[in-house]
Amino acid sequence: MELEVRHLRALCAIADTGSLHRAARQLGVAQPSLSTQLRRIEQELGGALFVRARTGCRPTPLGRLVLSRARPLVADMRALVAEARAAAVGGAELRVGSTASKALAGWLRRLRGHGQDPTLHMNVSPNALLRMVADGQLDVAFVHEVEGCPLRIPPELRLRVLMEREPQFVSLPTDHPAAVKSEVRLRDLAEDRWMVDPTVDGEWDAVQRMFRAAGVNPHVLHGDYYTADALVATGEVVAVCQPTHADSPTMAVRRLHGDPLGVRLLLAARTETVLDGVYPALEEAYWEAARQAPAYREWLEHDGERQPPVPVLP
């Protein structure tokens, strides 16, 4: 058997997911078929590439060696195919990945205004988006890195830091007693139900650390943040939110006392050229969103000196 790119892609999927079952689902094949393929690859290379255990699969020393050579080859092949397709249709498609952000709409609008044709791939996992950029499936990704939970940044990527530390705020019902304050202490919310999305890389760990540091142990529900917004509006929960989140008639966005939770905002691409082409539009869109969020605007005016210089908020 001769090794092909599809075999290398399968090895990368197994390593990335840590499971034959999840890798098979990602590749769109049956697990028995993937298991058979892996055995044939190992026979061809002369040794086991993964240690199989009840907790999943992890690379052997030989597996790590093979993966170190396979990943660049898979990424180059994906990039070749993507560039060839773009050249064939004569378009200027820009494949954008992002975690949720209020800056997205303005960023995409500006990119279109500059003659680019962005497509958008959303994912709650910054690590997954970074891997997609490294593999050539995306051209650029706008992601956040939760404080205390470093992202797995592929070494071939180039980065721009939009915000070194963006404080995370809290959303609560407008009739909540704490909503009358501009700054809320965690102890004021200790008896509330919180909603946290555990699928966001690092989010749950960071929120747990925040609770422990404040000496509170509130009841926590798990769910996505779209659901959280709906439940906050009906008075069911409170939730961590981005500072660019705006107030509404049923929801108040407030600063947490001491800014105990923060994220770093990053833009990633494979080349500096791509970053140069899209970063200014993202920066403009972000500060546009900041101007439209009263609580964040106030934070920037009073505490923004701790950040790198930012545009004046008129």
Side-chain angles (χ1 to χ4, degrees):
M1 182 187 86
E2 288 190 4
L3 282 183
E4 301 175 10
V5 173
R6 63 188 178 92
H7 298 137
L8 303 182
R9 189 178 297 117
L11 296 179
C12 293
I14 296 169
D16 290 342
T17 62
S19 160
L20 280 169
H21 174 71
R22 288 192 293 268
R25 187 169 54 187
Q26 177 179 301
L27 295 167
V29 301
Q31 182 175 332
S33 175
L34 181 59
S35 297
T36 299
Q37 187 178 80
L38 177 58
R39 284 196 300 271
R40 290 175 177 170
I41 295 171
E42 289 177 328
Q43 289 170 1
E44 176 68 20
L45 295 178
L49 301 179
F50 294 93
V51 175
R52 285 88 151 172
R54 295 180 65 183
T55 55
C57 297
R58 66 179 189 276
T60 63
L62 176 60
R64 289 194 293 271
L65 172 64
V66 172
L67 286 165
S68 71
R69 301 295 297 274
R71 290 192 189 281
L73 293 173
V74 171
D76 287 346
M77 180 58 69
R78 283 175 174 160
L80 185 154
V81 171
E83 291 169 11
R85 286 175 177 170
V89 299
E93 182 181 85
L94 179 71
R95 298 163 301 164
V96 174
S98 182
T99 51
S101 171
K102 290 292 183 181
L104 267 181
W107 186 28
L108 296 177
R109 183 178 68 248
R110 285 170 171 80
L111 291 174
R112 292 190 187 97
H114 297 160
Q116 294 170 300
D117 181 22
T119 61
L120 180 62
H121 178 89
M122 299 292 295
N123 197 313
V124 297
S125 170
N127 283 309
L129 291 169
L130 292 173
R131 174 48 56 191
M132 291 180 73
V133 177
D135 287 348
Q137 298 175 69
L138 294 172
D139 297 308
V140 63
F142 177 40
V143 301
H144 67 277
E145 181 179 59
V146 178
E147 195 169 51
C149 303
L151 294 175
R152 299 186 298 273
I153 300 174
E156 60 267 38
L157 295 189
R158 301 293 178 267
L159 301 176
R160 295 282 170 87
V161 178
L162 177 61
M163 283 289 283
E164 188 60 44
R165 189 181 193 272
E166 180 194 71
Q168 299 301 281
F169 287 6
V170 64
S171 60
L172 56 158
T174 51
D175 60 357
H176 193 291
V180 299
K181 308 173 184 178
S182 61
E183 182 179 287
V184 179
R185 293 178 180 272
L186 280 170
R187 289 192 175 276
D188 296 333
L189 308 175
E191 301 303 318
D192 288 280
R193 288 183 297 271
W194 287 68
M195 179 161 276
V196 177
D197 189 344
T199 64
V200 178
D201 296 335
E203 188 96 349
W204 178 221
D205 289 342
V207 171
Q208 286 180 302
R209 286 197 300 272
M210 178 180 72
F211 289 155
R212 286 195 297 268
V216 300
N217 186 29
H219 183 64
V220 176
L221 306 178
H222 288 170
D224 65 84
Y225 286 114
Y226 292 106
T227 303
D229 278 357
L231 294 181
V232 169
T234 59
E236 293 294 321
V237 301
V238 300
V240 171
C241 69
Q242 297 173 5
T244 48
H245 214 60
D247 287 352
S248 74
T250 56
M251 181 189 303
V253 176
R254 298 291 182 264
R255 173 183 178 178
L256 285 168
H257 177 73
D259 301 324
L261 190 63
V263 303
R264 186 168 66 138
L265 301 181
L266 303 170
L267 188 66
R270 292 188 302 280
T271 68
E272 293 289 343
T273 300
V274 172
L275 289 175
D276 289 340
V278 300
Y279 180 81
L282 174 61
E283 189 176 40
E284 289 178 8
Y286 182 80
W287 295 116
E288 178 182 63
R291 285 193 294 270
Q292 296 169 0
Y296 192 28
R297 179 186 176 120
E298 181 181 357
W299 183 91
L300 289 165
E301 290 172 348
H302 291 91
D303 296 85
E305 67 271 10
R306 292 183 291 179
Q307 295 283 342
V310 300
V312 174
L313 301 179

